[in-house]
Amino acid sequence: MSSDLHRLALAVLQPGFEGTTAPDWLRRALGEGLGGAVLFARNLPSEHLIPQIRAENPDTVIAVDEEGGVVTRFEARTGSSFPGNRALGVADDETLTERTGRQIGRMLADAGVTLDYAPSVDVNANPANPVIGVRSFGPEPGLVARHAVAYIRGLQSAGVAACAKHFPGHGDTITDSHLDLPTVHASAGELRQRDLPPFRAAIAAGVQAVMCGHLLVPALDPELPATLSRTVLTGLLRDELGFDGMLVTDAIEMKAVAARYSPGEIAVRALAAGVDAICAGIVDERGLHELRDAIVAAVRSGDLPAARLEEAAARVRAVVEWYGKQDRSAPDDPGVGLEAARAALTVTGAATLTRPPLVVEVNTRLNQAVDPSTPTGLTAALAARLPGTERVQLPSGGELPAFDDRPVVLVVHDSARHAWVRERIAQAAALCPDVIVVDTGIPGDEPAGAAFIATNGLSRVSAEAAAEWLTT
């Protein structure tokens, strides 16, 4: 019984780890029944890693955050080949979204990934949202629901399980859950009309997994974050919305919950609330054993019913079984990312670059979900077309450099959210009326300069599409 209980406890854990090869402790845990592993940019690219994991346990769920756009793991060093959710929502072509999801799925399927922690189906109702933004298909629930279904259909048609996140909706927050616990100040009625429709649609479309967000939603549970709330996860997601697939936590080291509870306590409370898999993005052998042992102790003490743990492990196995039955021979569609990026460009004014510009990157801090090594890309894309292009990078709050007779391209991100960025845009336009402004995030309402381009996504193909427009 003790051995079986340890295997059950390991079966519901999905740890991250350091390095591009599987560490010895991870291999041992896989042999003992570890149910999953999550990969990050720090682990990739590595053609040997996933085969190493599968060699130890073929039934392990291998998961990754590959949303496309700003959140990419496989392409963090080059920038994504896909423009991201907001771009797809702006283009508003469901066939294009499905093709994009399928091509992302094909990339992951070729690598041996079981589960993609995507798409984000949050409705970005608050323009000041610091962590969702361009990761959302848009601010309207109907738009988000339609494109969520298309993305899920495409991804899963490539044989990779999709995961709708961040339940019950992270779009109306002003706090990044990586840093603190966000509160969603909406009534139960507003949540049902605005935030839940995309999740309902995803469930109806057969999404294999849902990720819960570390969110306090007082209209649903005034005391506990959604990750630990039985009212939210079992009462609402399971009983009301009818989801019977695998429910996984967002990373439990995020400060929204980690500042309040120990890792073991988070795992036990989440499982008791209805979660099936615990994502621990930063963990070592000791940390993994602490999680396992906390779950085992909770079952032995009666704090966590054994039947609940068995149910959770069964739902993890169900994803593996689904994966094993899929056809992973989706047709290759290599140009779809650039096609989507072109369709997502919105332009005010007109300008053409015929000589190398000075590119001023106003580097607003990207959110914690973005790997720090992910490049912004426009300077490189312009330099490929106009050799001699130079770059100046501004720190947060920095002042503009002196302009000379070269054309000036000002690259900003999420000008709608940052007053100081909007000030720099106004200053640049006053100093250089022919300035070209490119916003790679959610733009403000008042375009300035000779041309204002919104790429609606931060990716390699978004940069290529903007550079193409500016030089042809």
Side-chain angles (χ1 to χ4, degrees), residues 182-186 191 216-224:
T183 299
V184 179
H185 299 287
L191 290 166
L216 185 66
V217 190
L220 302 177
D221 188 328
E223 297 180 358
L224 293 172

Side-chain angles (χ1 to χ4, degrees), residues 134-428:
V134 292
R135 300 169 65 196
S136 167
F137 291 110
E140 300 296 331
L143 174 76
V144 175
R146 287 189 291 106
H147 286 276
V149 168
Y151 188 110
I152 290 163
R153 189 165 54 231
L155 184 65
Q156 294 192 164
S157 72
V160 174
C163 179
K165 62 186 185 184
H166 306 81
F167 187 83
H170 208 320
D172 189 11
T173 63
I174 58 172
T175 302
D176 184 342
S177 51
H178 294 82
L179 304 175
D180 203 350
L181 179 63
T183 299
V184 179
H185 299 287
S187 68
E190 189 174 7
L191 290 166
R192 282 178 165 78
Q193 292 177 3
R194 183 191 65 194
D195 297 279
L196 297 186
F199 289 99
R200 289 185 185 275
I203 293 165
V207 71
Q208 289 296 303
V210 168
M211 176 181 283
C212 54
H214 301 315
L215 309 162
L216 185 66
V217 190
L220 302 177
D221 188 328
E223 297 180 358
L224 293 172
T227 306
L228 311 180
S229 172
R230 189 166 179 82
T231 300
V232 174
L233 301 186
T234 297
L236 179 57
L237 181 61
R238 298 292 192 197
D239 297 341
E240 183 176 331
L241 301 189
F243 180 63
D244 193 39
M246 188 186 80
L247 176 59
V248 60
T249 68
D250 210 340
I252 63 170
E253 71 274 9
M254 293 165 64
K255 292 180 181 177
V257 288
R260 292 160 176 80
Y261 308 96
S262 70
E265 190 174 8
I266 295 168
V268 170
R269 283 173 171 256
L271 288 163
V275 159
D276 305 306
I278 308 296
C279 173
I282 302 174
V283 75
D284 55 15
E285 183 172 22
R286 179 179 176 181
L288 182 68
H289 288 171
E290 286 177 356
L291 290 171
R292 178 200 64 191
D293 294 346
I295 295 168
V296 168
V299 172
R300 287 176 173 163
S301 69
D303 291 336
L304 178 64
R308 171 77 272 274
L309 181 59
E310 291 167 356
E311 178 185 55
R315 287 200 179 111
V316 174
R317 284 197 303 274
V319 171
V320 173
E321 291 168 0
W322 176 91
Y323 175 80
K325 297 175 183 176
Q326 301 309 301
D327 177 5
R328 277 175 285 280
S329 59
D332 194 13
D333 192 2
V336 66
L338 183 56
E339 181 181 344
R342 288 169 176 154
L345 286 182
T346 55
V347 181
T348 302
T352 301
L353 291 172
T354 58
R355 55 196 179 100
L358 172 67
V359 179
V360 181
E361 294 184 354
V362 181
N363 286 332
T364 54
R365 175 71 174 91
L366 299 177
N367 70 67
Q368 298 289 315
V370 180
D371 188 272
S373 64
T374 303
T376 54
L378 185 60
T379 302
L382 285 172
R385 291 171 172 267
L386 297 169
T389 294
E390 293 187 16
R391 176 178 70 175
V392 173
Q393 293 178 294
L394 263 62
S396 180
E399 297 298 328
L400 294 172
F403 295 157
D404 50 31
D405 63 348
R406 287 175 294 178
V408 177
V409 178
L410 196 71
V411 182
V412 303
H413 185 76
D414 279 356
S415 60
R417 289 203 303 117
H418 300 283
W420 79 270
V421 173
R422 295 193 296 276
E423 289 173 5
R424 296 300 176 273
I425 293 173
Q427 291 168 358

Side-chain angles (χ1 to χ4, degrees), residues 68-83:
V70 72
V71 177
T72 176
R73 307 305 185 219
F74 271 72
E75 298 185 296
R77 290 162 180 79
T78 60
S80 180
S81 301
F82 311 95

